[in-house]
Amino acid sequence: MSQPTENLRVRRTRKLLRDALVELIEERGFDRLTVGQVTERAMVSRAAFYRNYADKYQLVEQIFDEAMAELLGTVSEDAGAGPPAAERWVVFFEHIDRYHRFYAALLGAKGSPWFAAKMRASLTDMVKEHLRPPPSDSLPAAVLGAMFTQSITWWLGNGRPCTPREIATRSARLAGAVIAEANRPPTNSP
Amino acid sequence: MSQPTENLRVRRTRKLLRDALVELIEERGFDRLTVGQVTERAMVSRAAFYRNYADKYQLVEQIFDEAMAELLGTVSEDAGAGPPAAERWVVFFEHIDRYHRFYAALLGAKGSPWFAAKMRASLTDMVKEHLRPPPSDSLPAAVLGAMFTQSITWWLGNGRPCTPREIATRSARLAGAVIAEANRPPTNSP
DNA sequence: CCGGCGCTGTTCCGATCGGGACAAGGAGCG
DNA sequence: CGCTCCTTGTCCCGATCGGAACAGCGCCGG
């Protein structure tokens, strides 16, 4: 491949930087941490950081992108067309579960509104892509993206009080109500 | 110094190897793990391992030696002659507390009798050095070393059910009984 | 007995990294 | 305004590391 990520040193450097990032978000918050603090915690030179990432935002983005790529791989590898729609959300929340420290840190009180917006946008895209039938309009898709983001935030912020399957079912049920309402023909009275 | 340990890379390599070692002892036991397994877990090359250590035993020894050096530094820095004898054991168990994963792994069921013997020998030396009055003979010193080792093993094996101060006090009390008995003039009847 | 297999410990070369320096810019302060 | 201090992003060189190969050894099964 063009840029072999196979190299042990760069994989290790990135892993150390990721773990340090999550730790420091939990401790000090995302906007209050510097590249130098992350590299010091990770026992990595600042130069090595900049060899891998442009800034701390790109570090977050790459973790997120790889996580999403892994998620999409999991969804599509199960079968040709993937699992049925209901099971798909279970797989999704199991994915959130695996990366819960990362998501909890960035969506929590010490996280970043920048990342929350990124998450909403990404989930809105997923809704447009994977929801059957797809939302009729852009507004319901955006609202559903925000709903799922909030479900995740609630779930992680309360220490995951139920199983991935349960939170997936409850979230899907709430989403179903919105979809039904959005697909109703417009009327003036209830 | 001749070989500056200041270098970030060697410090990082050693830390990764140590953490991986403790994890693998907890999982598989000390005698059942190979150098290759440790380096793989640590994300470090086997060559880097052998640059720092001769074998897995020396890895353990260096962790232990540095921990002991840090302990002796703590004991002697508090005052010119160090803290009073009773307080010294508290400091000692607080040290065990800091490294509890390491000691628990190596002294526990999946640890190594080789390390337990090393620990007893080291504690026997400490008893000879720091106990006032010093044991009259080599036998009581060895017995006291084994007693303290067992106190540590019990404390760690039961998940540290009491504070370092409490286990220190209880251990010192038991040791006191042995010392008193050892110092009694020899008689034939009670 | 032999052959495969896994682990050990060593060696080499090229790749990556750490240390340190640098200019540039922003924030706080008097 | 100037001044200090911190952070950013980039560069270089020498140090360390990863990858891979190698012989040697013990272990196990046939």
Side-chain angles (χ1 to χ4, degrees):
Chain A
M1 304 304 172
S2 57
Q3 194 184 5
T5 312
E6 319 146 5
N7 193 299
L8 177 58
R9 263 187 296 207
V10 323
R11 284 194 292 118
R12 183 188 59 204
T13 295
R14 293 183 182 177
K15 171 176 167 43
L16 291 172
L17 286 171
R18 292 170 187 198
D19 293 347
L21 175 82
V22 172
E23 278 186 30
L24 284 173
I25 294 176
E26 291 172 348
E27 291 176 15
R28 289 163 221 186
F30 180 73
D31 40 5
R32 250 188 291 277
L33 59 82
T34 70
V35 172
Q37 288 169 352
V38 177
T39 58
E40 182 184 356
R41 176 70 62 102
M43 300 185 76
V44 157
S45 73
R46 245 164 26 86
F49 180 97
Y50 287 112
R51 263 179 229 116
N52 290 279
Y53 308 102
D55 48 36
K56 66 177 180 178
Y57 295 93
Q58 206 187 41
L59 170 56
V60 169
E61 273 178 341
Q62 287 217 8
I63 305 176
F64 184 63
D65 289 348
E66 287 185 25
M68 294 303 289
E70 178 192 317
L71 170 62
L72 295 181
T74 305
V75 166
S76 59
E77 86 185 354
D78 286 348
E87 208 61 19
R88 222 172 269 185
W89 288 111
V90 176
V91 172
F92 174 75
F93 275 95
E94 283 168 353
H95 158 84
I96 300 288
D97 195 42
R98 272 198 302 281
Y99 289 84
H100 69 94
R101 270 190 87 187
F102 171 73
Y103 285 118
L106 273 164
L107 291 175
K110 296 183 177 176
S112 167
W114 161 77
F115 181 78
K118 189 175 173 58
M119 190 82 192
R120 278 191 296 273
S122 193
L123 280 180
T124 301
D125 286 349
M126 285 188 61
V127 163
K128 288 179 183 171
E129 187 79 18
H130 291 290
L131 216 58
R132 296 289 169 246
S136 54
D137 193 358
S138 179
L139 174 62
V143 168
L144 287 167
M147 282 181 55
F148 279 110
T149 304
Q150 188 53 38
S151 285
I152 295 165
T153 305
W154 174 87
W155 190 51
L156 298 177
N158 289 74
R160 291 173 294 162
C162 59
T163 66
R165 179 171 295 277
E166 282 166 350
I167 183 65
T169 304
R170 295 182 61 187
S171 300
R173 190 186 303 266
L174 295 173
V178 171
I179 293 170
E181 175 60 31
N183 287 346
R184 273 181 53 195
T187 57
N188 292 334
S189 62
Chain B
M1 306 302 172
S2 56
Q3 194 184 7
T5 313
E6 318 146 6
N7 194 298
L8 178 58
R9 263 187 297 205
V10 323
R11 283 193 292 117
R12 183 188 59 203
T13 296
R14 293 183 182 176
K15 171 177 168 43
L16 291 172
L17 287 171
R18 292 170 186 197
D19 294 347
L21 176 81
V22 172
E23 279 185 31
L24 285 173
I25 294 175
E26 292 171 347
E27 292 176 14
R28 288 163 220 185
F30 180 73
D31 39 5
R32 250 187 291 276
L33 60 82
T34 70
V35 173
Q37 289 169 352
V38 177
T39 58
E40 182 183 358
R41 176 71 60 104
M43 298 186 76
V44 157
S45 72
R46 248 163 23 88
F49 180 97
Y50 287 113
R51 263 179 229 117
N52 289 279
Y53 308 102
D55 49 37
K56 65 178 181 179
Y57 296 93
Q58 206 187 44
L59 170 57
V60 169
E61 273 178 341
Q62 287 216 9
I63 304 177
F64 184 62
D65 289 348
E66 288 184 24
M68 293 305 288
E70 177 193 316
L71 170 63
L72 295 180
T74 305
V75 166
S76 58
E77 86 186 353
D78 286 347
E87 207 63 18
R88 222 171 269 187
W89 288 110
V90 177
V91 172
F92 174 75
F93 276 96
E94 283 167 355
H95 158 84
I96 300 288
D97 196 43
R98 272 199 301 281
Y99 289 83
H100 68 95
R101 270 190 87 186
F102 172 74
Y103 286 117
L106 274 164
L107 292 175
K110 296 182 177 176
S112 166
W114 159 78
F115 180 78
K118 190 175 173 58
M119 190 83 191
R120 279 192 296 274
S122 192
L123 280 179
T124 301
D125 286 348
M126 284 188 61
V127 162
K128 289 179 183 171
E129 187 79 18
H130 291 289
L131 217 56
R132 296 289 170 247
S136 53
D137 194 358
S138 179
L139 173 62
V143 168
L144 286 167
M147 282 180 55
F148 279 109
T149 303
Q150 189 53 39
S151 286
I152 294 166
T153 304
W154 174 88
W155 190 50
L156 298 176
N158 290 74
R160 291 173 295 162
C162 59
T163 66
R165 178 171 297 276
E166 283 166 349
I167 183 66
T169 303
R170 296 183 61 187
S171 301
R173 191 186 301 265
L174 295 173
V178 172
I179 294 170
E181 175 59 32
N183 288 345
R184 275 179 52 195
T187 57
N188 292 334
S189 63

